[in-house]
Amino acid sequence: MNRITQLFETRQTGLLSVYFTAGYPEAGHTQAVLEALQRGGVDLAEIGVPFSDPLADGPVIQHAAAQALRNGMSLRRLFEQLKEIRRTVRMPLLLMSYLNPVMQYGFEAFCRSCAAVGVDGMIIPDLPFADYLADCRATAVRYDLKVIMLITPETSDERIRLIDEHTDGFIYLVSSAATTGAQQAFDETRQAYFRRIDRMNLRNPRLVGFGISNRATFDAALANASGAIVGSKFVQLLAQTASPDEAVARLLKDLTSDG
């Protein structure tokens, strides 16, 4: 059974997913970061594939992607780094990539490589949903990979229900239509959006991402979904601390302390 499916069958609340950019701050840190996240009790990890034009990302992840590319990180190198990862890491793993690197690699080859190294799913923010249905869904299903779709405050109820019907794993509930980046709090408009989605009684669980950086935003996400996704905050901490374990410890402290 897919590890993402297993996770949500055993836990429906309080989940923490953490994103980092492969190859940042050092090219060879992928395994060390994943092992540190697991030791810290993180529930699933999203490994970002660096891309030269990350349109959905704010300055923190843009900088990380640029540095990772300078460090020589590529999709092929990432798969090499992940070859033995299942010897030590048990939690679900997703690759988060823009469409261009995946298409350059070849979608079926990408799925085959994901399955070979033990990756459980993918997030491709700029993959059109119609193209996913027509060209990608059958291949992903064949390799038992979850393709996670994003919804925003501007996504119509009709489209949300279509996504819910034709995907599984979880739905990535984007907190706003802005780019990624830490926020201090979610205002009433955003929390009303979370509640609106909750009232739809979707089949898939949801994780809230974009802006999770402290206890206020983390608690707001947990109150309205199965869990939260942290990205920019953790990427910053990886650059600011001496080790991945210290970065994880700082993150968990920031998400659970009052100040």
Side-chain angles (χ1 to χ4, degrees):
M1 181 187 295
N2 185 283
R3 293 175 191 85
I4 298 171
T5 302
Q6 288 179 317
L7 173 64
F8 284 102
E9 284 189 353
T10 57
R11 292 266 309 279
Q12 286 79 46
T13 60
L15 296 171
L16 174 60
S17 178
V18 175
Y19 165 96
F20 69 98
T21 303
Y24 179 82
E26 303 292 338
H29 279 187
T30 302
Q31 181 169 340
V33 173
L34 290 171
E35 290 174 350
L37 290 169
Q38 180 166 271
R39 282 191 292 271
V42 170
D43 297 293
L44 63 163
E46 300 173 15
I47 308 166
V49 178
F51 181 53
S52 57
D53 193 20
L55 294 176
D57 292 307
V60 171
I61 295 178
Q62 286 183 18
H63 169 76
Q67 183 61 53
L69 292 172
R70 288 193 292 269
N71 290 343
M73 181 52 64
S74 66
L75 188 51
R76 292 186 185 280
R77 187 172 182 181
L78 176 57
F79 281 129
E80 285 294 320
Q81 292 179 346
L82 294 174
K83 270 187 175 179
E84 305 296 329
I85 199 64
R86 285 307 178 189
R87 292 178 179 233
T88 57
V89 175
R90 300 176 303 280
M91 64 183 169
L93 302 177
L94 296 104
L95 293 191
M96 188 164 190
S97 175
Y98 287 90
L99 187 58
N100 185 279
V102 174
M103 291 298 101
Q104 291 288 329
Y105 196 90
F107 187 75
E108 179 149 9
F110 177 76
C111 290
R112 187 183 307 117
S113 293
C114 285
V117 301
V119 167
D120 303 289
M122 66 196 76
I123 303 170
I124 306 176
D126 55 343
L127 172 63
F129 188 63
D131 291 355
Y132 156 73
L133 289 176
D135 303 325
C136 301
R137 184 172 185 266
T139 302
V141 169
R142 187 162 69 250
Y143 287 95
D144 193 24
L145 296 167
K146 307 302 182 187
V147 181
I148 307 304
M149 289 288 166
L150 286 71
I151 64 173
T152 76
E154 282 69 42
T155 307
S156 69
D157 287 5
E158 180 183 11
R159 187 172 183 82
I160 290 170
R161 293 200 182 280
L162 193 64
I163 288 171
D164 189 48
E165 179 182 354
H166 292 288
T167 66
D168 56 6
F170 66 92
I171 290 174
Y172 193 128
L173 184 61
V174 177
S175 66
S176 75
T179 58
T180 58
Q183 301 288 328
Q184 291 305 305
F186 291 139
D187 60 20
E188 175 55 30
T189 299
R190 293 187 191 182
Q191 298 206 44
Y193 153 61
F194 297 156
R195 292 192 295 269
R196 174 174 69 85
I197 302 304
D198 192 41
R199 288 194 298 270
M200 293 180 71
N201 295 314
L202 300 176
R203 179 176 63 89
N204 279 297
R206 303 170 311 283
L207 297 181
V208 177
F210 284 41
I212 310 294
S213 66
N214 57 18
R215 183 171 180 174
T217 50
F218 186 55
D219 286 352
L222 297 188
N224 293 282
S226 293
I229 300 167
V230 178
S232 297
K233 176 73 174 182
F234 184 63
V235 171
Q236 285 180 315
L237 289 170
L238 281 173
Q240 294 168 358
T241 55
S243 70
D245 283 293
E246 185 180 344
V248 172
R250 285 269 304 277
L251 175 67
L252 296 176
K253 181 176 183 293
D254 289 346
L255 294 179
T256 56
S257 65
D258 290 323

